Amino acid sequence: MDTFELYGIDALLTEEERDIRDTVRDFGDKELRPHVATWFDEAKLPARDIARELGRLGLLGMHLEGYGCAGTTAVSYGLACLEMEAVDSGLRSLVSVQGSLAMYAIHAYGSDEQKQEWLPGMAAGEKIGCFGLTEADFGSNPGGMRTNAKRDGEDWVLNGSKMWITNGSIADVAVVWARTDDRIRGFVVPTDTKGFSANEIHQKLSLRASVTSELVLEDVRLPGSALLPGAAGLAGPLGCLNEARFGIIFGSLGAARDSLQVAVDYSLTRDVFDKPLAGYQLTQKKIADMAVELGNGMLLALHLGRLKDAGSVSPEQVSLGKLNNVRKSLEICRESRTILGANGISLEYSPIRHAANLESVLTYEGTTEVHTLVIGKALTGVSAFG
Ligand code: TGC
Ligand code: FAD
């Protein structure tokens, strides 16, 4: 029996949600899992090919309506993220950044022309998008950004740089957030625009099966129509982050579920002191404790998913889910690793890869500390930022 069976999770899902989950799991197990350790080891991801496959499955922007998007429930989207992250957080990142950040920004704030131009190709995985908010000196505090956009007649001219941008150097389009004379605004930047360049970041010890880049904007001249008309101020990008953080609430549990499963299987076949490791009480305590945290995390994710589908989830609740589920999932991956002993440090087994990935997940989309302060502010009414 696995944890979700123990918790009776299937009974909480609709038939359509179970079907979507099973389809994504099957795809992940057959097409991605056999290659993922090599992609991680070599820090090379065939992202374009994978994006097309994900597009064919309808996973890109799947919770958005129209423009070739599937229009599923938030819970279905969450389950898809979970199954992708059960293979590798880098693959879930690809889905998150494409659907919840780049596509969502255009879908929620874009003009009709912007939506028609970009969304169908992005949903199909033919066009890849990235989302440039963070700068080298402004991660947790994006409101301090230096990248700026100045009006020149009808045009906009962008200067600055962005750091740690997922898919940056393979993207066809970048959603870039920049300071204007008015407020922070978003721009849809085709990456072949003169003055735009992207440099891949190497030597990462986490999310190696994911492309991470610096974006450089040097006098990037864009027509007035490149501005996202529906977003003004930090609420624009933060609105996108709510979407991606929601996916992570489910997604991180995938890494934990896979790690725990690997640990349980290993404990049954590994003999220590002449009997299987699974038969020792200390091992069973580890397994039981991990299952409780994993199952509780899933109940929380489903609860927040149902709230989101009802249109009533708040940003603070999303922070709560991201904080708890990533933190607990990382603990589960690390504890699973201990059960594997020395084998646990080999890429042959997934827990250490998942744990290394979750170090990034703990940091991106709002660090543990940022989400703690968001919750602290909600509970006390006092902001401890800045
Ligand atoms: P503050 O003064 O609190 O708010 C500024 C404006 O934003 C509004 N707002 C939100 N709106 C929607 N959703 C939210 N979660 C919101 N939080 C705040 C707020 O109402 C206000 O609106 P308005 O209209 O009055 O202007 O802002 P602050 O400067 O004090 O900062 C708040 C803080 C620290 C919580 C925020 O800046 C934050 O969340 N920082 C973390 C940054 C972050 O998460 N960056 C992620 C970058 S993208 C990424 O990591 C992708 S990873 C790749 C992958 O997913 O795979
Ligand atoms: P900092 O903000 O410098 O934080 C350093 C430490 O200080 C953290 O522990 C933090 O919690 C703590 N801290 C900050 N403020 C406070 C405070 N007020 N009180 C107490 N402690 C505080 N960004 C994008 O825009 N797009 C992307 O696609 C993207 N992809 C990423 C992919 C990867 C693999 C990684 C690692 C990052 C990615 N990011 C992306 C950037 C990510 O969002 C930032 O790294 C994150 O927001 C944290 O910013 P920082 O790294 O500058 O850390």
Side-chain angles (χ1 to χ4, degrees), residues 93 97 101 130-141 162-167 204 206-207 210-212 241 359-361 363-370 373 384-386:
S93 265
V97 170
L101 294 180
C130 69
F131 183 87
L133 177 64
T134 302
E135 300 185 359
D137 293 332
F138 300 97
S140 298
N141 178 23
K162 297 287 172 181
M163 194 60 181
W164 301 110
I165 306 306
T166 302
N167 291 346
K204 290 180 298 173
S206 171
L207 275 192
S210 176
V211 177
T212 318
L241 296 185
E359 293 291 345
S360 284
V361 182
T363 289
Y364 68 36
E365 298 285 0
T367 65
T368 305
E369 292 77 11
V370 161
L373 294 180
F385 291 109

Side-chain angles (χ1 to χ4, degrees), residues 58-345:
L59 298 189
L60 301 176
M62 66 187 273
H63 59 310
L64 305 178
E65 294 282 348
Y67 308 95
C69 303
T72 68
T73 62
V75 169
S76 294
Y77 171 61
L79 292 168
C81 287
L82 190 155
E83 295 304 333
M84 291 302 289
E85 197 146 0
V87 183
D88 194 272
S89 301
L91 298 165
R92 195 269 309 137
S93 265
L94 181 58
V95 169
S96 295
V97 170
Q98 181 84 349
S100 281
L101 294 180
M103 289 176 74
Y104 180 84
I106 296 171
H107 194 273
Y109 310 130
S111 64
D112 257 0
E113 294 70 37
Q114 289 166 336
K115 293 180 200 182
Q116 296 289 358
E117 181 177 358
W118 292 106
L119 293 179
M122 292 171 85
E126 296 296 333
K127 303 269 183 210
I128 293 189
C130 69
F131 183 87
L133 177 64
T134 302
E135 300 185 359
D137 293 332
F138 300 97
S140 298
N141 178 23
M145 70 175 62
R146 294 201 186 99
T147 297
N148 61 77
K150 297 210 183 303
R151 273 240 98 141
D152 184 20
E154 291 299 302
D155 293 347
W156 288 96
V157 180
L158 271 63
N159 278 287
S161 63
K162 297 287 172 181
M163 194 60 181
W164 301 110
I165 306 306
T166 302
N167 291 346
S169 41
I170 57 165
D172 301 285
V173 59
V175 171
V176 174
W177 300 93
R179 179 177 299 291
T180 70
D181 285 344
D182 180 13
R183 309 177 73 185
I184 288 170
R185 304 297 299 256
F187 295 86
V188 180
V189 185
T191 55
D192 58 4
T193 309
K194 189 165 171 266
F196 180 98
S197 58
N199 308 306
E200 188 168 351
I201 298 169
H202 297 289
Q203 298 192 319
K204 290 180 298 173
L205 295 177
S206 171
L207 275 192
R208 290 175 60 78
S210 176
V211 177
T212 318
S213 317
E214 174 196 33
L215 309 183
V216 180
L217 299 113
E218 287 174 321
D219 289 329
V220 171
R221 181 172 286 275
L222 300 168
S225 60
L227 177 82
L228 287 172
L234 209 49
L238 290 176
C240 305
L241 296 185
N242 291 334
E243 298 296 306
R245 289 168 179 172
F246 172 79
I248 290 172
I249 295 172
F250 278 85
S252 56
L253 299 174
R257 187 195 68 197
D258 187 58
S259 296
L260 177 54
Q261 192 60 55
V262 167
V264 170
D265 292 348
Y266 186 88
S267 72
L268 288 165
T269 56
R270 175 73 175 178
D271 280 358
V272 292
F273 297 96
D274 304 323
K275 69 170 190 182
L277 186 53
Y280 291 90
Q281 290 181 357
L282 285 178
T283 310
Q284 292 203 2
K285 176 172 166 35
K286 286 183 186 180
I287 290 170
D289 285 348
M290 288 191 276
V292 169
E293 291 302 347
L294 177 58
N296 288 351
M298 189 62 180
L299 292 179
L300 175 59
L302 280 171
H303 171 59
L304 295 176
R306 297 294 175 217
L307 289 182
K308 186 161 165 55
D309 279 323
S312 64
V313 77
S314 70
E316 292 79 11
Q317 289 169 329
V318 172
S319 282
L320 172 80
K322 201 259 179 187
L323 173 70
N324 183 72
N325 285 7
V326 179
R327 189 158 64 184
K328 294 297 177 191
S329 293
L330 177 54
E331 284 169 16
I332 290 170
C333 296
R334 286 177 180 154
E335 187 79 312
S336 297
R337 210 276 323 147
T338 68
I339 291 180
L340 276 72
N343 280 323
I345 71 153

